[in-house]
C-alpha cells in the first residue's frame, strides 16, 4: 500500500569506555581516604608536651640560673642591663613552669596580679613589685643601679622564689 524504501546501511556507534574514569576516581578517593586516616591517627597520637622541657624542677632550674648570674662581674652598663633582664626572665620562667602557662610575654603588672592570686603575703608582693620595677627601670629607662643594689635584688628574688616554692609544697601536701 505504500512505497517501499531502501534499507539503509548500518551506522556504527562509537562506544566510549568510562571504566578508566571510574578506576581513577576510585583510586583518588582511596588515596584521599588514606590521607585523612593518616592525619587523624597522627593528630590523635600527639601528646601535649610540657611547657618547658627540663629534667630539673622549676625551682631547681631557677636556682641554677641564679647561681649562673653570680659569675657576672657587672662592670659595664650593658652587663647590668642584661643581669636585670635575666632576673625578670628567671622569675617569669619559674612561674610559667609552676602554673603551666606561658608568662614570658606578660608585663610586670600581669606578673604581680598572678602572684597576688597564688600567694597571700602582701610584704612579699610589695618586695616582688620593687624587684620587677627596678628591672623595668634598668631595661627601659636606662637606670643603672649600683652593684650592691643589683646583688640585693638577686637575693630578694631568691628569697621570693623559695617562699613561693614552700607555699606550693604546703598546698600540695594539704590537698593530698
Amino acid at each position: 500500500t505504500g512505497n517501499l524504501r531502501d534499507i539503509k546501511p548500518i551506522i556504527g556507534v562509537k562506544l566510549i569506555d568510562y571504566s578508566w574514569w571510574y578506576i581513577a576516581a576510585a583510586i583518588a578517593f582511596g588515596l584521599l581516604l588514606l590521607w585523612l586516616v593518616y592525619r587523624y591517627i597522627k593528630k590523635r597520637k600527639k601528646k601535649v608536651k610540657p611547657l618547658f622541657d627540663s629534667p630539673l624542677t622549676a625551682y631547681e632550674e631557677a636556682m641554677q640560673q641564679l647561681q649562673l648570674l653570680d659569675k657576672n662581674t657587672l662592670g659595664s652598663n650593658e652587663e647590668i642591663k642584661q643581669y636585670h633582664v635575666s632576673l625578670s626572665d628567671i622569675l617569669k620562667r619559674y612561674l610559667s613552669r609552676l602554673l603551666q602557662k606561658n608568662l614570658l610575654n606578660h608585663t610586670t603588672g600581669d606578673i604581680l596580679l598572678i602572684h597576688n592570686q597564688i600567694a597571700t603575703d602582701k610584704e612579699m608582693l610589695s618586695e616582688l613589685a620593687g624587684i620587677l620595677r627596678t628591672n623595668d627601670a634598668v631595661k627601659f629607662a636606662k637606670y643603672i643601679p649600683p652593684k650592691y643594689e643589683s646583688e640585693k635584688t638577686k637575693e630578694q628574688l631568691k628569697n621570693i622564689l623559695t617562699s613561693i616554692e614552700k607555699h606550693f609544697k604546703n598546698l600540695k601536701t594539704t590537698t593530698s
Side-chain angles (χ1 to χ4, degrees):
T1 61
N3 293 339
L4 292 178
R5 296 188 183 125
D6 287 338
I7 298 175
K8 294 193 175 187
I10 300 174
I11 298 174
V13 177
K14 290 184 181 177
L15 184 61
I16 300 175
D17 186 17
Y18 289 106
S19 61
W20 286 107
W21 286 100
Y22 294 132
I23 293 171
I27 290 172
F29 180 73
L31 289 175
L32 177 67
L33 190 62
L34 283 174
W35 182 73
L36 290 173
V37 169
Y38 170 75
R39 293 276 314 258
Y40 173 75
I41 290 172
K42 186 177 176 183
K43 192 180 266 190
R44 187 183 64 168
K45 285 187 178 180
K46 251 186 196 174
K47 291 183 180 178
V48 177
K49 292 182 181 178
L51 187 60
F52 298 101
D53 197 22
S54 174
L56 302 173
T57 65
Y59 179 72
E60 291 170 346
E61 182 182 359
M63 290 299 128
Q64 186 179 43
Q65 289 176 349
L66 286 173
Q67 285 177 352
L68 290 175
L69 284 180
D70 287 337
K71 296 177 183 175
N72 287 358
T73 59
L74 299 177
S76 68
N77 292 349
E78 189 59 37
E79 285 178 345
I80 292 173
K81 180 181 178 182
Q82 188 58 40
Y83 184 84
H84 283 274
V85 168
S86 296
L87 287 176
S88 293
D89 289 344
I90 290 169
L91 173 69
K92 289 177 182 180
R93 185 174 169 92
Y94 171 74
L95 290 174
S96 294
R97 288 192 61 196
L98 196 63
L99 302 174
Q100 288 299 307
K101 294 180 184 176
N102 189 356
L103 304 176
L104 296 177
N105 293 329
H106 284 62
T107 63
T108 296
D110 295 339
I111 297 297
L112 291 174
L113 287 173
I114 290 168
H115 184 269
N116 193 27
Q117 293 172 356
I118 62 173
T120 58
D121 187 10
K122 299 299 178 192
E123 184 178 316
M124 187 171 51
L125 181 64
S126 65
E127 195 173 312
L128 181 63
I131 292 169
L132 289 173
R133 288 190 181 112
T134 301
N135 292 343
D136 286 347
V138 170
K139 186 175 180 180
F140 300 115
K142 298 183 182 179
Y143 168 67
I144 304 299
K147 185 176 180 177
Y148 72 88
E149 188 177 333
S150 295
E151 291 171 353
K152 179 185 168 197
T153 302
K154 182 182 73 82
E155 289 303 317
Q156 288 174 326
L157 182 62
K158 189 182 279 189
N159 294 336
I160 288 173
L161 293 178
T162 302
S163 62
I164 291 173
E165 186 69 17
K166 286 179 185 176
H167 177 72
F168 266 88
K169 281 185 179 180
N170 288 339
L171 283 177
K172 286 181 182 178
T173 57
T174 57
T175 56
S176 296

